[in-house]
Amino acid sequence: MFLDAAAGRFADHAELVGLCDPSATRMAHWNRHLADTFGHPPLPAYPPGRFDAMVAETRPDVVVVTSVDATHHTYIVRALELGCEAVTEKPMATDAEKVAAVFEAVERTGGEVRVAFNYRWMPVFSALKGVVASGAVGRPTLVDFQWRLDTSHGADYFRRWHREKKHSGGLLVHKATHHFDLVNWILDDRPERVFALGGLAFYGGANAAARGLPPAPERFTGEPDAADDPFALDLAADPGLRGLYLDAEADSGYVRDRHVFGGESKWPITSEDTMAVTARMAGGALLNYSLVAYCPWEGERLSVVGTEGHVEYFGRGPGHIIAGQGDDDLAAAQRPVEQTLRLQRHFEPSRDLPIPEAEGGHGGGDARLLERLFLPDLPPDPLGRDASHHDGAWSVLAGVAANRSIETGRPVGIGELAPPSLCR
């Protein structure tokens, strides 16, 4: 996403100067891609141990952090210390200590951190935010948010490193940080107290055995039975997957196609696939949130109830029949085929509001986010969609609190986790 934007659409405003990745094979793949697609000269390629050398030799203004989630804070902090701005994918960090490390670095260096929350930039969520901000539903009192991942998208988190909380924080951090941030932004509020329940109800060997399935191998690629398995991902069958993952296994050590019902002796599944969260916001509104990673269809329902009415967005995609599709197929399968944005005020009939046209990834959010990150001298955004390390922290800490609540069976106050400067 960032490489193509900088080398293509925004080439007049940005210059790529270096790559840093644990796999030399993977960086060579991206250099070939940039050359073939944009005629871009090869970028210097650095292993993580030479990150400081990369910054010293290539002198970037901005470091874009797209590494494994649990390492985001490492590169954010070091980029700030070396005098760069940091742009990071969500989540900004995966636990409270790592959030605190980012805050300490910002305060010590005076540097800037921007978090790439593309859902804020989806036109339909911008429209929903506008309805709430206009006062049409009055003072928000309850948010009900349901997110459903289908058996391709949802399963993919359990083929990858995301299945291990030590790498991702679990789906309540890796995925739900999007959703907690949306609620914070739409309400212009922050979470105060969180209670959560969750478990592994579908994926994993024990659940497969309970359904009468035979023991699964460690991975999909190379398995004869995988051809008829709707959960299978064959890295050898797709040039992109082969170049980025299968060919890179020797120098990265990363296996991208772990079996969703096996492989747990090497790669234990510690993330939940079924989660329910209740939270109280600082402004008094309540949040009900649920995330499921194995539905037959993909979509979401987000409603805001207020003292004067109710507004709700519902979007549903077609779902995936066969897993392991390419990125273009995945994007098409996630595109809503059914959408409504409906407002009803007290004592008035409901009315459907227009849903803005959107093209591109994440419901059109990617393109708008990239404009904001790459175009210079833009005026302040009237909807406040730019996200700082404060926004990144509130969304992460909601997930961290939910994880802790699942572990302890008790509600968790965000104040127990937050850096002091976040609460000021």
Side-chain angles (χ1 to χ4, degrees), residues 67-416:
S67 56
V68 172
D69 293 354
T71 67
H72 284 180
H73 72 292
T74 300
Y75 296 105
I76 294 170
V77 169
R78 194 64 187 133
L80 296 176
E81 290 174 339
L82 295 173
C84 301
E85 176 188 337
V87 171
T88 181
E89 287 190 317
K90 59 80 195 163
M92 184 181 76
T94 54
D95 61 38
E97 292 74 22
K98 293 169 183 175
V99 168
V102 172
F103 268 70
E104 189 278 332
V106 170
E107 292 163 9
R108 176 164 42 85
T109 66
E112 182 180 8
V113 178
R114 291 189 284 173
V115 184
F117 282 127
N118 39 21
Y119 282 19
R120 289 184 175 210
W121 295 91
M122 289 173 61
V124 68
F125 289 137
S126 294
L128 178 59
K129 161 79 171 178
V131 171
V132 174
S134 74
V137 300
R139 176 175 57 83
T141 55
L142 176 71
V143 177
D144 199 13
F145 199 167
Q146 305 166 20
W147 200 280
R148 302 293 177 259
L149 298 167
D150 67 20
T151 48
S152 180
H153 190 185
D156 211 34
Y157 292 112
F158 294 86
R159 300 186 192 105
R160 304 184 300 199
W161 51 262
H162 305 73
R163 66 197 265 165
E164 298 179 71
K165 279 189 175 180
K166 67 180 182 180
H167 297 310
S168 66
L171 292 186
L172 280 169
V173 172
H174 172 80
K175 184 65 180 174
T177 189
H178 267 316
H179 310 146
F180 295 137
D181 177 69
L182 268 183
V183 173
N184 297 342
W185 170 67
I186 287 170
L187 299 187
D188 193 20
D189 205 349
R190 57 181 176 82
E192 185 176 74
R193 195 163 185 80
V194 175
F195 178 73
L197 296 169
L200 189 67
F202 185 80
Y203 299 109
N207 290 314
R211 296 197 297 275
L213 299 177
E218 292 179 346
R219 63 184 302 178
F220 288 111
T221 300
E223 287 294 326
D225 294 340
D228 299 319
D229 188 341
F231 289 94
L233 178 66
D234 185 357
L235 299 180
D238 181 277
L241 294 175
R242 174 183 283 278
L244 282 173
Y245 302 110
L246 190 60
D247 293 346
E249 284 181 13
D251 60 9
S252 71
Y254 174 46
V255 175
R256 169 68 173 79
D257 63 328
R258 305 167 189 187
H259 203 294
V260 297
F261 301 116
E264 291 160 271
S265 61
K266 287 187 176 181
W267 311 293
I269 298 177
T270 52
S271 178
E272 297 82 8
D273 59 19
T274 311
M275 295 139 276
V277 178
T278 300
R280 179 180 295 279
M281 307 298 287
L286 302 181
L287 166 66
N288 284 324
Y289 170 79
S290 63
L291 174 61
V292 174
Y294 48 88
C295 274
W297 56 275
E298 179 117 353
E300 63 274 359
R301 186 185 301 274
L302 173 54
S303 63
V304 181
V305 181
T307 54
E308 297 181 26
H310 173 267
V311 63
E312 177 177 85
Y313 169 71
F314 175 70
R316 174 180 172 132
H320 305 160
I321 305 303
I322 301 296
Q325 296 150 312
D327 288 345
D328 292 342
D329 293 329
L330 182 64
Q334 291 175 237
R335 190 169 297 125
V337 295
E338 179 184 351
Q339 288 190 99
T340 56
L341 180 60
R342 185 166 294 156
L343 170 66
Q344 185 164 10
R345 290 172 50 79
H346 287 170
F347 317 115
E348 296 179 9
S350 67
R351 55 192 178 98
D352 286 350
L353 305 177
I355 294 177
E357 292 291 326
E359 292 292 333
H362 290 98
D366 288 352
R368 290 162 177 80
L369 170 67
L370 290 168
E371 288 177 356
R372 197 69 184 176
L373 292 176
F374 283 109
L375 293 180
D377 303 323
L378 293 176
D381 176 52
L383 291 179
R385 287 170 289 192
D386 297 315
S388 71
H389 63 296
H390 285 83
D391 303 301
W394 288 124
S395 66
V396 165
L397 292 175
V400 172
N403 279 333
R404 185 171 294 186
S405 180
I406 290 172
E407 293 167 4
T408 64
R410 299 176 180 176
V412 176
I414 299 293
E416 302 171 28

